[in-house]
Amino acid sequence: MEKQIQQSLHFYIFSTISILLLHASSAQKASSFSTQLNNRRLLSSFDADNSLVVEPSLVFHNPRLENAYIALQALRRSIFSDPKNVTENWSGSDVCNYTGIVCAPSPDCHSELTVAGVELNHADIAGELPDELGLLYDIAWFHLNSNRFCGRIPQSFMNFKLLYELDLSNNRFAGKFPGVVLRIPNLKYLDLRFNDFEGKIPQRLFEKNLDAIFINNNRFSSILPENIGSSPASVLVLANNGFRGCFPASLGNMSRTLNEIILKNNEFRSCLPSEIGLLKNVTVFDVGFNRITGTLPESMAEMESLVHLGLSNNKLTGNISAGLCSLPGLVSFASDYNYFTGCSSKCEKSPGFDDRRNCVKGRPTQRSSLQCKMFLSRQIDCNAFRCPPPPLLQPSPPIPPPPPPPPPPQLPPPPALSSSPPPTYSPPPCPNLPPPPPPCAQPSTPPSPPPCEPHQPPPVAAVPDASPPPPPPSI
């Protein structure tokens, strides 16, 4: 009997402890869930498991700086090598005193400070970019060049509505072209050079209103989109990649904006199109180290702003015209390692002219006669490359003239309105007024007996004088 009682007592104690532990576990889970929920509310779309909770003891002057604290602490936590101790003072609520962080008055509230820029160039920092960086809503520039950041660009970068400059060059980012950068609305300067991005270039890159595009020294390998000539960029650097196919003739459509274009060390294989002669504002034109063949278009002599011209290490033939070497601002002209057969004396006298390893008779350090004979014996047909013609974007510049015509059609309406006032159409309303007097005469009879006695013959005239105030002064 005593054993049964002890067994019952043990069972009761065990059940009670189990129930208590279950309640404690549930409470702990509820508390954890509540904390995660608060974190989700704080960081919206960010992962609550990796989010940071702000210490209650910290005081922030405004919510913008609190968001910046969360973002920068997440970045600091994602760094696994900081040999120069750049982020050593990244603690506390005074984020404006963090090294590399620049604050300024908020654009929509000048009385509040906000983080306006991140300057961590040449810091040799290794790490990744966390999603929480999207909390830096007000930054205008984000500079991280010459570090060791890796991984991919967070999708939260689309929150940077005011970002003007994005420099992620000379890091170790990888993957396909980061399409999120094309969703930053006010971006003007994009620098992704010296990384490990690969694959195709999206057409949207050249539809975006960018002023400078630097994507050189990556692993891109594709044919350039045909709409490359639609870009409004003034600087376009695509060098040291694996771009192939035809040299884009649509570049001629960038004549109004383009100042520098560098396409060297790719795999372009075609002739140079005559449309490049339209680039009258270009100062730097470098297509060296490709497989470009054929003769130089005569239109190149019209590139009047050229300062640096790079054609070396291709398969170009023919003569170099005197017009091209006579361009007033031309300082350097690299035509070496081609198969040119002649050049003007003006080119030879130019101090920046380099024609080594060509087939020009009488010039020093040329190719052997056997090399020249073997290559020049082949006929070159530029049509054989089947390069697509440039899209007809040149008619689009004339499209601005049409907007002026719309104002003329607006001018005719004013004369019509001015002609209508002369008739004034006041007579028509006046005849309409007599009909109302009979009804008005009924209500006006009580107050009007005195005036009506002297003016009984024209009672109808007295009524219209009372209704519109203007007639009495005219009378």
Side-chain angles (χ1 to χ4, degrees):
M1 184 68 177
E2 292 180 358
K3 290 183 179 179
Q4 292 180 352
I5 294 175
Q6 290 179 354
Q7 289 178 354
S8 300
L9 182 60
H10 290 164
F11 177 77
Y12 174 78
I13 295 173
F14 177 78
S15 300
T16 304
I17 293 175
S18 300
I19 293 174
L20 291 175
L21 291 175
L22 180 63
H23 282 295
S25 176
S26 300
Q28 184 177 6
K29 289 182 179 179
S31 176
S32 175
F33 176 77
S34 177
T35 301
Q36 292 181 4
L37 183 61
N38 290 334
N39 291 340
R40 290 181 188 275
R41 290 174 179 171
L42 184 62
L43 299 177
S44 63
S45 62
F46 303 121
D47 185 3
D49 295 334
N50 295 324
S51 62
L52 295 169
V53 180
V54 179
E55 297 180 8
S57 59
L58 296 178
V59 178
F60 299 92
H61 295 292
N62 58 66
R64 304 172 194 267
L65 297 180
E66 184 175 0
N67 282 335
Y69 171 83
I70 297 172
L72 296 175
Q73 291 303 318
L75 176 59
R76 185 185 185 187
R77 194 172 64 173
S78 301
I79 292 173
F80 43 82
S81 176
D82 184 7
K84 297 182 181 180
N85 295 322
V86 174
T87 61
E88 185 178 9
N89 69 339
W90 283 26
S91 60
S93 60
D94 192 3
V95 297
C96 294
N97 280 331
Y98 288 7
T99 301
I101 304 303
V102 180
C103 289
S106 171
D108 57 351
C109 183
H110 297 295
S111 61
E112 291 187 359
L113 279 180
T114 187
V115 173
V118 176
E119 284 281 356
L120 294 176
N121 295 338
H122 303 280
D124 196 26
I125 294 174
E128 297 180 350
L129 300 182
D131 287 337
E132 287 86 348
L133 287 175
L135 290 171
L136 300 175
Y137 300 109
D138 298 323
I139 62 170
W141 67 92
F142 192 86
H143 295 168
L144 289 184
N145 78 62
S146 302
N147 284 285
R148 291 175 289 149
F149 284 99
C150 59
R152 298 190 177 185
I153 313 303
Q155 291 296 312
S156 60
F157 271 35
M158 70 179 67
N159 291 340
F160 296 158
K161 305 301 182 183
L162 304 179
L163 190 67
Y164 187 85
E165 295 182 3
L166 178 60
D167 185 356
L168 303 177
S169 63
N170 197 19
N171 279 281
R172 299 176 183 177
F173 294 110
K176 296 182 179 180
F177 184 92
V180 65
V181 302
L182 303 179
R183 303 177 67 180
I184 302 174
N186 291 306
L187 190 65
K188 294 293 183 181
Y189 179 96
L190 176 62
D191 194 345
L192 302 177
R193 54 187 164 172
F194 292 98
N195 279 288
D196 289 320
F197 294 113
E198 59 189 22
K200 297 181 179 180
I201 295 296
Q203 291 188 356
R204 291 180 300 159
L205 174 63
F206 304 113
E207 296 171 357
K208 190 167 180 61
N209 190 23
L210 293 169
D211 181 61
I213 301 175
F214 295 92
I215 58 173
N216 53 290
N217 294 83
N218 278 280
R219 299 175 180 269
F220 294 118
S221 58
S222 66
I223 297 175
L224 289 178
E226 295 182 5
N227 70 332
I228 185 174
S230 303
S231 174
S234 63
V235 179
L236 185 61
V237 184
L238 313 181
N240 301 315
N241 280 288
F243 294 115
R244 60 184 185 273
C246 294
F247 187 90
S250 64
L251 288 174
N253 295 316
M254 302 177 67
S255 58
R256 293 185 175 183
T257 59
L258 192 60
N259 297 128
E260 298 182 15
I261 178 168
I262 302 178
L263 302 178
K264 66 184 298 183
N265 198 21
N266 280 286
E267 299 178 12
F268 294 112
R269 185 179 180 184
S270 68
C271 298
L272 287 177
S274 60
E275 285 80 3
I276 63 175
L278 299 173
L279 303 175
K280 300 182 184 300
N281 296 322
V282 166
T283 59
V284 177
F285 184 89
D286 195 340
V287 294
F289 293 88
N290 281 283
R291 299 180 183 179
I292 298 173
T293 188
T295 60
L296 296 180
E298 295 182 1
S299 61
M300 291 187 68
E302 301 175 8
M303 301 173 70
E304 54 192 26
S305 301
L306 267 182
V307 177
H308 301 281
L309 176 58
L311 304 174
S312 60
N313 286 271
N314 280 288
K315 298 180 179 181
L316 294 165
T317 62
N319 295 324
I320 301 175
S321 67
L324 184 57
C325 292
S326 301
L327 292 174
L330 192 60
V331 173
S332 65
F333 184 178
S335 63
D336 52 313
Y337 289 89
N338 280 287
Y339 293 89
F340 289 114
T341 56
C343 62
S344 169
S345 58
K346 292 187 177 181
C347 299
E348 298 175 3
K349 296 177 182 179
S350 176
F353 181 66
D354 186 357
D355 66 342
R356 293 171 299 154
R357 299 298 177 186
N358 278 284
C359 300
V360 182
K361 292 182 180 181
R363 294 289 295 169
T365 61
Q366 298 295 294
R367 294 182 184 273
S368 68
S369 58
L370 179 60
Q371 283 181 319
C372 293
K373 184 177 181 179
M374 291 180 62
F375 183 84
L376 296 174
S377 63
R378 308 169 189 170
Q379 292 185 352
I380 299 173
D381 182 10
C382 293
N383 295 324
F385 296 105
R386 297 182 179 180
C387 297
L392 299 177
L393 296 178
Q394 290 178 346
S396 62
I399 291 175
Q410 294 177 355
L411 295 175
L417 295 173
S418 61
S419 60
S420 60
T424 54
Y425 293 100
S426 56
C430 290
N432 293 343
L433 292 175
C440 292
Q442 295 175 354
S444 61
T445 49
S448 61
C452 286
E453 292 178 358
H455 300 285
Q456 279 182 345
V460 177
V463 174
D465 291 347
S467 58
S474 63
I475 294 173

